[in-house]
């Protein structure tokens, strides 16, 4: 057993994400699925100002996140272009360590909007094109895994820009219930390979080789995934291929666990990096309608949503 796995055992007791722990998995699964939200509306928590949540608002958000790894807050600050909104909201839930990718604005919080220069270089988040299913930072190394992110909508597009959302712990359950060997394959250290980014002829990001599912030192499940087929190599054995196909079918199907939500002005998503996608959208510059969403990515997980917190 390697060191992180040993620590996970000591911190979290018997870990339900270990295939050997059938009884722990059964108990965790039962608790997880009990009263699981059935609609996107049940993820929504009404708040006043996300920069200064009341105790009741913060605990309502946390309660939803504990169950489904995500919550949508609906605030009164629609239209207000202020980056302290996602920053202060995140801090309230222990999200401190921002990931600064090479295209984030200087303060580590990205303004997702149509920026011709960036989208022409192939960075779809800065264009109006659809985004396929993924978790954020799927190319990051374990020391910089994205464990949580906040999306805050200042203004929606004239049309489109809807997100689909799926709790990665639910994905784990659906895969393990279908065939535990899928989990074994997707936990393999070389399951998913993202080749180096050599966009400019120089290597701006090293190749990333790792599992889809992994368990952190606190026993929490992490997922790396992208539905992209370009610039991604899956392990070539039959079980990995079958597991990836199963996952693709799940994501392309009409699972009741997939939530669909279009963020309205002043609304935001806080989550433990659940699977998500986004439809394409159109702005209407003549009418001054342009989508602006702030995104903050963190190395931290939402405070109070660790595996051990679930049983209290
Ligand atoms: Fe994303």
């Amino acid at each position: 057993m390697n060191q992180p796995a040993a620590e996970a055992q000591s911190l979290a007791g018997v870990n339900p994400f270990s295939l050997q722990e059938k009884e722990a998995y059964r108990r965790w699964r039962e608790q997880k699925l009990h009263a699981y939200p059935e609609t996107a509306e049940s993820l929504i928590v009404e708040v006043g100002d996300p920069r200064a949540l009341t105790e009741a608002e913060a605990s309502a958000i946390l309660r939803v996140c504990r169950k489904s790894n995500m919550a949508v807050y609906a605030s009164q600050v629609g239209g207000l272009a202020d980056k302290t909104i996602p920053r202060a909201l995140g801090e309230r839930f222990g999200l401190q360590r921002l990931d600064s990718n090479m295209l984030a604005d200087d303060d580590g919080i990205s303004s997702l909007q149509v920026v011709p220069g960036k989208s022409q270089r192939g960075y779809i988040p800065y264009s109006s094109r659809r985004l396929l299913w993924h978790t954020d930072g799927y190319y990051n190394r374990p020391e910089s895994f994205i464990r949580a992110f906040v999306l805050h909508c200042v203004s929606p597009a004239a049309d489109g820009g809807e997100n689909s959302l799926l709790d990665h712990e639910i994905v784990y359950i659906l895969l393990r219930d279908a065939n535990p060997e899928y989990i074994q394959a997707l936990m393999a250290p070389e399951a998913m390979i993202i080749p180096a980014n050599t966009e400019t002829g120089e290597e701006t990001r090293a190749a990333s080789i790792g599992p889809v599912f992994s368990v952190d030192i606190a026993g929490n499940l992490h997922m790396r995934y992208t539905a992209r087929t370009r610039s991604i190599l899956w392990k070539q054995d039959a079980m990995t291929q079958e597991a990836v196909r199963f996952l693709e079918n799940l994501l392309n199907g009409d699972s009741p666990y997939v939530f669909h939500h279009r963020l309205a002005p002043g609304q935001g998503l806080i989550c433990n990096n659940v699977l998500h996608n986004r439809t394409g959208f159109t702005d209407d510059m003549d009418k001054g309608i342009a989508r602006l969403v702030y995104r903050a990515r963190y190395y931290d997980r939402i405070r109070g949503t660790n595996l051990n917190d679930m049983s209290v």
Side-chain angles (χ1 to χ4, degrees):
M1 187 182 287
N2 63 26
Q3 196 57 31
E7 284 178 37
Q9 289 291 327
S10 63
L11 281 172
V14 180
N15 190 278
F17 304 117
S18 160
L19 284 174
Q20 281 72 49
E21 303 296 349
K22 296 192 173 67
E23 181 55 23
Y25 172 66
R26 194 192 61 73
R27 276 186 276 116
W28 171 80
R29 177 188 181 283
E30 190 177 282
Q31 192 181 9
K32 174 81 186 177
L33 295 179
H34 176 71
Y36 195 82
E38 293 178 1
T39 61
E41 288 70 41
S42 45
L43 300 174
I44 299 176
V45 177
E46 299 283 341
V47 305
D49 187 338
R51 295 165 294 189
L53 295 176
T54 66
E55 281 300 318
E57 290 167 348
S59 51
I61 291 172
L62 181 59
R63 197 164 48 243
V64 178
C65 286
R66 276 186 172 181
K67 175 52 81 177
S68 48
N69 279 313
M70 63 185 124
V72 173
Y73 60 88
S75 78
Q76 307 293 321
V77 298
L80 184 64
D82 176 4
K83 284 190 173 183
T84 63
I85 298 170
R87 182 186 294 277
L89 179 103
E91 280 174 4
R92 187 69 182 264
F93 296 96
L95 302 179
Q96 306 262 3
R97 294 177 299 153
L98 278 162
D99 175 61
S100 302
N101 71 48
M102 56 186 168
L103 289 177
D105 307 351
D106 286 337
D107 55 6
I109 296 178
S110 305
S111 302
L112 302 182
Q113 57 190 337
V114 177
V115 179
K118 286 179 179 174
S119 62
Q120 276 159 18
R121 276 162 37 211
Y123 292 97
I124 297 172
Y126 299 96
S127 83
S128 58
R129 286 156 59 197
R130 72 175 177 144
L131 279 168
L132 299 175
W133 282 104
H134 66 282
T135 56
D136 274 16
Y138 56 82
Y139 34 76
N140 288 19
R141 299 163 95 69
E143 60 272 21
S144 53
F145 272 174
I146 304 300
R147 296 199 170 76
F149 67 81
V150 172
L151 289 179
H152 176 81
C153 178
V154 177
S155 50
D159 187 45
E162 179 186 271
N163 290 111
S164 294
L165 305 161
L166 176 57
D167 183 347
H168 56 297
E169 290 181 352
I170 293 290
V171 175
Y172 178 95
I173 288 173
L174 296 175
L175 282 161
R176 183 162 171 173
D177 289 357
N179 186 351
E181 289 184 59
Y182 291 164
I183 299 295
Q184 192 168 19
L186 296 179
M187 282 186 151
E190 71 288 17
M192 180 177 155
I193 299 170
I194 295 117
N197 181 352
T198 52
E199 175 208 3
T200 55
E202 288 168 48
E203 188 174 293
T204 51
R205 189 182 63 233
S208 164
I209 302 170
V212 172
F213 290 117
S214 56
V215 177
D216 72 14
I217 59 163
N220 299 307
L221 186 72
H222 185 268
M223 186 175 187
R224 294 164 72 235
Y225 180 74
T226 174
R228 290 183 68 160
T229 49
R230 253 178 355 121
S231 309
I232 168 119
L233 300 168
W234 293 101
K235 193 176 166 190
Q236 285 301 305
D237 71 301
M239 192 52 72
T240 307
Q241 298 289 318
E242 200 180 315
V244 170
R245 265 200 310 279
F246 183 92
L247 183 50
E248 285 168 357
N249 288 337
L250 169 67
L251 297 174
N252 294 330
D254 57 354
S255 168
Y257 290 108
V258 175
F259 303 118
H260 305 280
H261 185 71
R262 183 170 183 265
L263 290 172
Q267 288 191 351
L269 169 72
I270 177 170
C271 73
N272 284 326
N273 199 3
V274 297
L275 276 165
H276 55 288
N277 71 11
R278 186 196 74 198
T279 62
F281 64 86
T282 45
D283 289 337
D284 187 340
M285 297 317 283
D286 291 343
K287 291 190 180 147
I289 302 172
R291 189 178 195 266
L292 172 57
V293 170
Y294 293 139
R295 180 187 63 200
R297 290 168 158 170
Y298 301 93
Y299 303 136
D300 309 299
R301 188 177 161 90
I302 300 168
R303 186 174 53 218
T305 64
N306 281 336
L307 193 62
N308 283 348
D309 300 319
M310 302 305 165
S311 51
V312 293

